[in-house]
Amino acid sequence: MTSLDGLSPTTDPSDSADSGLTLTGVRLGPRGPVCALRIADGRIVAVSAADDLGGPVFDLDGRTVLPGLWDAHVHMAQWAGNRRRVDLSGLESARAVAEALRPYAGDMPSGEVLTGQGFRDGLWPDVPDKALLDAVCPDRPVALISADLHAAWLNSAGLALIGRGDHPTGVLREHECFEVMRALPKVPADVLDRWVAQACRDAAARGVTGIVDFHFADNLADWSRRAAHAPLDVRVRAAVYPRHLAAVVSRGLRTGDVLPGTGGLVRVGPLKLFTDGSLNTRTALCCDPYPGLAGSAEAYGIEETSYEELVRLMRWASAHGIEPAVHAIGDRANTVALDAFAAVRCRGRIEHAQLLTATDVPRFAELGVTVGVQPAHATDDRDVADRHWAGRTGRAYAYADLLAAGAALEFGSDAPVSPLDPWTGIAAAVHRTDDGRPAWHPEQRVPVQAALAASALGRSQIRVGDPADLVVVDVDPVDADARTLRAMPVHATLLGGRWTHKPA
């Protein structure tokens, strides 16, 4: 019998997938029986109480095996690049952010953009402005991206670089922010691909076997290139944006189709559409005005795409087999998105669904619309929501209500908004706190088993015939306390029977 720890680091992990392998001493799901699994040709071919299912054999010593985890909403290239930018998370004022850049301002090659990521200005006592950044870094371009990816803050040199030198404040939100991200100098493709490959390996080390990538790019082309270069460590569903829709339709591609040349690991994802902005930028479209903004043009948030245009795009895409994924955060935005699904009568998903009216909660199940949610946002945003959605947070991040109404939930991180780590989201959904404070709206907690299923695209059991996408953990999640669940020790991960993460 061979232990997993004894697998030679020089062994090609695909060898065991080709010849088959047996996992013994595995607990089959939370509090499940201890048994053996036989894997061959990338699938589970036997589950037995006996160990004599054929070799090679890897003894997992009573650890728990679960269906492989998915992150159902990431911006992969941004997440990969984010880890090489100045981290601005946790800073509590515009001035503090500007000062945090000072140690970096003098260490850069001339003309190189100083980039930062992760600021949250929803609770700041002061206002971000280009003058604050100019005082710290007057000559070199600075571009800072908010944690929610819906705002960019640039200094004068950065604005000049993208042809916006006349902008009065340097703070650009929503579609202007997206234009900034497209206009900034690009990392060479080969460099970015190396960063993404490392991010995929790191994701596999946390039990991730698949992602839905909503990066703002030509994702089909980018992932085809990456898969052609080397085998991927995760499965990918690559989202399409409207500017690429015509090309995808002309190729006859549909949501779920495997892209040729990717080893079966990359599929066409959904069409990404936007109804509104975000909570932190106070641009999520709501039924009630934001405090202090009553009477202004954007008191209720913004409408990113009109209802008529939303319906037109959804009809066009669905007529060609491409399912829409509609970004909707505010309660009014979610009503608009659900109304569009009711009009088009197509399959698809709503991303985020952070604030809902009571009458909209059952409509997700009634219309067959999947809800892509990011539970870590509930704990990250609780203070911002309490201020800007005061009196309404009982229907914010309402996961228990959605489950009770029969909705299909799929968990993601929205990385880099939250880390690409499914256990962070699982713990947030189960405990509704991450900092020692009492649970925020504990009535919206979900059971561990439901959180695990939502983190595995609804897969809750390990059965013969299933793909051998598996994660092995050291602690049974049902028995884990909040801290352990959040930092769950992952022992191993398999993708189609191939080891993508092994213990050292």
Side-chain angles (χ1 to χ4, degrees):
M1 181 174 289
T2 306
S3 73
L4 184 59
D5 291 342
L7 188 65
S8 169
T10 61
T11 300
D12 183 348
S14 64
D15 289 348
S16 48
D18 292 340
S19 61
L21 71 158
T22 296
L23 308 181
T24 62
V26 294
R27 187 169 299 281
L28 198 64
R31 295 184 177 170
V34 175
C35 63
L37 296 179
R38 179 66 182 170
I39 296 169
D41 298 321
R43 295 190 173 272
I44 299 166
V45 296
V47 178
S48 173
D51 291 348
D52 54 347
L53 297 179
V57 177
F58 301 95
D59 182 10
L60 295 177
D61 197 25
R63 294 180 172 89
T64 301
V65 62
L66 304 167
L69 303 179
W70 276 70
D71 190 313
H73 191 123
V74 304
H75 301 266
M76 196 62 177
Q78 284 169 295
W79 167 244
N82 180 56
R83 301 188 297 177
R84 292 156 177 85
R85 297 170 175 166
V86 180
D87 181 8
L88 306 175
S89 60
L91 298 176
E92 298 180 349
S93 70
R95 188 166 298 280
V97 167
E99 288 302 315
L101 300 178
R102 194 176 294 280
Y104 303 92
D107 296 334
M108 302 162 48
S110 179
E112 183 174 325
V113 179
L114 173 56
T115 57
Q117 177 85 29
F119 74 85
R120 296 174 181 266
D121 62 335
L123 298 175
W124 284 356
D126 53 1
V127 178
D129 189 273
K130 62 184 180 181
L132 283 171
L133 301 181
D134 289 346
V136 172
C137 198
D139 301 319
R140 289 174 177 164
V142 174
L144 311 179
I145 307 299
S146 65
D148 59 13
L149 307 180
H150 285 255
W153 177 16
L154 285 74
N155 70 347
S156 295
L159 291 166
L161 180 68
I162 63 168
R164 297 295 300 272
D166 59 348
H167 195 277
T169 67
V171 179
L172 301 96
R173 303 187 186 275
E174 301 309 331
H175 68 276
E176 288 189 317
C177 170
F178 304 150
E179 290 173 359
V180 167
M181 289 191 279
R182 286 194 291 268
L184 289 171
K186 301 294 186 292
V187 174
D190 61 330
V191 174
L192 182 60
D193 288 352
R194 288 198 300 272
W195 294 355
V196 168
Q198 182 60 57
C200 289
R201 288 191 290 272
D202 293 343
R206 299 302 295 145
V208 174
T209 57
I211 63 170
V212 184
D213 189 9
F214 287 99
H215 182 53
F216 305 105
D218 186 351
N219 289 309
L220 302 191
D222 289 349
W223 282 106
S224 293
R225 181 185 69 246
R226 291 165 189 153
H229 178 71
L232 302 177
D233 286 328
V234 296
R235 300 187 190 276
V236 179
R237 297 183 182 181
V240 176
Y241 279 82
R243 64 183 177 275
H244 301 297
L245 180 57
V248 173
V249 168
S250 70
R251 293 172 63 186
L253 295 173
R254 304 165 69 90
T255 295
D257 285 354
V258 175
L259 292 182
T262 65
L265 293 176
V266 182
R267 294 178 183 268
V268 179
L271 170 69
K272 180 66 181 295
L273 300 169
F274 289 83
T275 61
D276 67 344
S278 70
L279 166 59
N280 185 72
T281 56
R282 283 80 72 202
T283 52
L285 189 61
C286 296
C287 298
D288 300 285
Y290 287 90
L293 295 182
S296 73
E298 298 180 353
Y300 295 86
I302 67 164
E303 180 185 70
E304 189 70 34
T305 306
S306 70
Y307 171 78
E308 293 76 17
E309 178 66 0
L310 190 65
V311 168
R312 185 189 73 81
L313 289 168
M314 289 171 63
R315 280 192 173 134
W316 179 20
S318 61
H320 294 279
I322 300 171
E323 298 176 6
V326 183
H327 167 114
I329 287 183
D331 48 6
R332 186 173 165 191
N334 277 278
T335 297
V336 169
L338 288 165
D339 287 349
F341 275 105
V344 178
R345 294 289 174 183
C346 65
R347 291 171 53 87
R349 37 194 305 125
I350 287 178
E351 298 298 322
H352 309 305
Q354 289 183 0
L355 183 66
L356 304 172
T357 65
T359 55
D360 276 342
V361 169
R363 297 180 70 198
F364 291 89
E366 291 166 2
L367 294 169
V369 176
T370 298
V371 197
V373 299
Q374 301 75 41
H377 292 358
T379 50
D380 290 343
D381 293 348
R382 60 187 291 179
D383 296 321
V384 179
D386 281 340
R387 174 178 293 187
H388 297 297
W389 289 345
R392 292 171 278 164
T393 54
R395 48 189 174 87
Y397 313 89
Y399 308 140
D401 287 350
L402 285 163
L403 283 174
L409 266 62
E410 292 183 0
F411 286 179
S413 65
D414 204 8
V417 182
S418 296
L420 203 174
D421 185 343
W423 298 103
T424 300
I426 291 167
V430 172
H431 295 285
R432 299 285 291 199
T433 186
D434 63 358
D435 57 8
R437 288 185 289 176
W440 188 62
H441 291 288
E443 72 278 6
Q444 296 298 343
R445 288 171 167 165
V446 302
V448 173
Q449 293 92 332
L452 290 170
S455 298
L457 300 188
R459 187 179 168 203
S460 59
Q461 296 180 322
I462 296 172
R463 299 169 298 190
V464 171
D466 286 348
D469 296 354
L470 303 169
V471 54
V472 182
V473 294
D474 288 342
V475 179
D476 190 322
V478 171
D479 298 327
D481 59 22
R483 184 184 298 273
T484 303
L485 189 62
R486 184 177 178 85
M488 176 60 68
V490 174
H491 188 73
T493 307
L494 297 101
L495 179 69
R498 167 171 63 95
W499 302 111
T500 54
H501 169 63
K502 309 186 297 291

